C-alpha cells in the first residue's frame, strides 16, 4: 500500500507542525508514505471565487500528481471534499484517473478510522479538549453525525481521540455548529464570520476546554485569530498533533 500525502497549501506555509505531525502519525503506523513535491493547491479558493479556468488547471494537475498512489491522505476535510465533489465538471465521466483519485482520497482521520482501523495509540495528552466538527468533514465526508438528522450520534474524531491516554473531551452545547470561516466567506462577510467564530469559542471556553481541536486547520485558524485578538484563555491544535503524541 502506497500513500500519497497531500498537504493544503496554507498549512504548508503557516502550520508546518501540523503537517509534520500528519506525516509522523502515518509513518508510526509503518505505512509507505510519499510526499510528491510537485503538488500544489487543490483549487478550492479559486472555485469559491468563480475562477473556473484556474480551477480546471489545478484539478488536472492534482489528478496527474496523485493518480499513482493506492491512497491519498490529507489533514483536511474541505480540500478532500473539493476533490471528491467538485472536480467532476473538469473531467469526462469515464476518466479512469479522476475516478481512481476520487475513490482513493481520504481525510486523515477518516483513513485511520475506516481503512487502517487503528485500535491503539501509545500517546498521552493530559488536557481538557473541545472538539470542533468542521462542516465539510462532518456533513460531506461523514466524519460525524449532523445533529439536524436526529439519529444516534457517531463521531470518528471522538473515537480516535478516545484512544489517547489522559485526555478529557469536554461536552459542548452546539458541537457541530459552523465556526463562520467558510473560505472566502470570512472575507466577503467579515462581521457575520467573526460573530459565528466568537460563538463557537465561547462554547468551548464555557465548557472549560484548554484546547480546541479538529480535522480542518482552516476553521482552527479562523478561531485562533479571534482568540488571539480577544486574548482568550484557550489554544487550538490540529487533531493530528494530539494523535501523534504532541504537547502544548
Amino acid at each position: 500500500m502506497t500513500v500519497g500525502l497531500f498537504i493544503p497549501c496554507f498549512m504548508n506555509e503557516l502550520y508546518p507542525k501540523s503537517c509534520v505531525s500528519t506525516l509522523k502519525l502515518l509513518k508510526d503506523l509503518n505505512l509507505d508514505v510519499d510526499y510528491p513535491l510537485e503538488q500544489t493547491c487543490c483549487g478550492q479558493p479559486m472555485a469559491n471565487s468563480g475562477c473556473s479556468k484556474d480551477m480546471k488547471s489545478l484539478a488536472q494537475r492534482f489528478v496527474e500528481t496523485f493518480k499513482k498512489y493506492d491512497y491519498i491522505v490529507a489533514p483536511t476535510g474541505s480540500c478532500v471534499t473539493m476533490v471528491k465533489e467538485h472536480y467532476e465538471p473538469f473531467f469526462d465521466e469515464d476518466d479512469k484517473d479522476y475516478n481512481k483519485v476520487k475513490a482513493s482520497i481520504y481525510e486523515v482521520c477518516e483513513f485511520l478510522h475506516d481503512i487502517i482501523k487503528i485500535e491503539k495509540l501509545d500517546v498521552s495528552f493530559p488536557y481538557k479538549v473541545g472538539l470542533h466538527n468542521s462542516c465539510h468533514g462532518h456533513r460531506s465526508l461523514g466524519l460525524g453525525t449532523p445533529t439536524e438528522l436526529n439519529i444516534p450520534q457517531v463521531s470518528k474524531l471522538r473515537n480516535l481521540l478516545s484512544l489517547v491516554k489522559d485526555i478529557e473531551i469536554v461536552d459542548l452545547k452546539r458541537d457541530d455548529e459552523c465556526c463562520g470561516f467558510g473560505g472566502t466567506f470570512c472575507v466577503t462577510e467579515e462581521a457575520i464570520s467573526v460573530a459565528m467564530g466568537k460563538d463557537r469559542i465561547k462554547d468551548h471556553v464555557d465548557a472549560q476546554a484548554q484546547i480546541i481541536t479538529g480535522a480542518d486547520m482552516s476553521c482552527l485558524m479562523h478561531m485562533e485569530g479571534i482568540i488571539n485578538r480577544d486574548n482568550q484563555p484557550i489554544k487550538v491544535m490540529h487533531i493530528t498533533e494530539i494523535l501523534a503524541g504532541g504537547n502544548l
Side-chain angles (χ1 to χ4, degrees):
M1 178 197 298
T2 58
V3 176
L5 177 61
F6 171 63
I7 296 294
C9 48
F10 82 96
M11 286 184 68
N12 184 61
E13 299 298 326
L14 301 176
Y15 296 97
K17 188 177 179 181
S18 302
C19 305
V20 172
S21 294
T22 304
L23 177 61
K24 179 181 184 300
L25 185 58
L26 296 172
K27 286 281 193 180
D28 285 350
L29 293 169
N30 296 316
L31 297 171
D32 182 10
V33 185
D34 182 43
Y35 176 76
L37 294 177
E38 63 272 23
Q39 66 178 275
T40 185
C41 179
C42 71
Q44 186 175 184
M46 293 74 179
N48 290 344
S49 304
C51 302
S52 58
K53 194 173 291 185
D54 296 324
M55 175 65 225
K56 181 178 181 179
S57 63
L58 288 169
Q60 292 172 338
R61 182 187 178 99
F62 187 98
V63 170
E64 183 63 28
T65 301
F66 285 97
K67 65 182 183 181
K68 61 185 176 184
Y69 299 105
D70 297 318
Y71 291 97
I72 307 150
V73 176
T76 166
S78 60
C79 294
V80 170
T81 300
M82 185 73 220
V83 174
K84 292 179 78 73
E85 296 190 0
H86 302 292
Y87 273 14
E88 286 188 1
F90 307 112
F91 296 92
D92 293 333
E93 189 175 339
D94 60 350
D95 189 295
K96 292 182 179 180
D97 291 338
Y98 171 59
N99 286 330
K100 179 180 182 296
V101 165
K102 179 181 178 180
S104 58
I105 188 168
Y106 289 86
E107 185 277 328
V108 62
C109 294
E110 178 187 27
F111 181 72
L112 296 175
H113 190 279
D114 295 352
I115 303 301
I116 302 301
K117 302 182 188 300
I118 62 172
E119 297 179 351
K120 181 182 179 181
L121 286 171
D122 190 20
V123 297
S124 172
F125 194 74
Y127 301 98
K128 292 182 177 181
V129 175
L131 176 59
H132 175 70
N133 294 298
S134 300
C135 298
H136 281 109
H138 198 64
R139 291 177 169 83
S140 296
L141 299 180
L143 296 182
T145 307
T147 53
E148 63 267 19
L149 296 182
N150 291 314
I151 59 177
Q153 298 294 296
V154 174
S155 173
K156 297 175 185 180
L157 304 186
R158 197 179 185 101
N159 289 346
L160 291 174
L161 287 172
S162 70
L163 300 177
V164 177
K165 299 182 183 70
D166 307 312
I167 195 170
E168 181 181 344
I169 305 173
V170 302
D171 292 324
L172 305 172
K173 293 178 181 177
R174 300 287 297 248
D175 61 4
D176 65 349
E177 188 174 78
C178 179
C179 72
F181 176 65
T184 54
F185 175 82
C186 71
V187 177
T188 59
E189 300 290 349
E190 177 188 356
I192 298 173
S193 175
V194 170
M196 294 172 71
K198 287 187 174 184
D199 284 347
R200 294 310 316 126
I201 294 164
K202 184 179 186 301
D203 196 359
H204 289 268
V205 171
D206 288 348
Q208 299 184 323
Q210 297 167 279
I211 302 291
I212 302 175
T213 194
D216 260 297
M217 200 67 228
S218 54
C219 299
L220 298 177
M221 176 178 69
H222 173 59
M223 289 187 284
E224 183 181 46
I226 299 171
I227 288 167
N228 291 342
R229 188 179 182 89
D230 293 346
N231 293 313
Q232 293 277 8
I234 195 167
K235 297 180 181 295
V236 304
M237 285 181 72
H238 193 274
I239 192 171
T240 56
E241 294 183 52
I242 297 175
L243 299 179
N247 214 316
L248 288 180

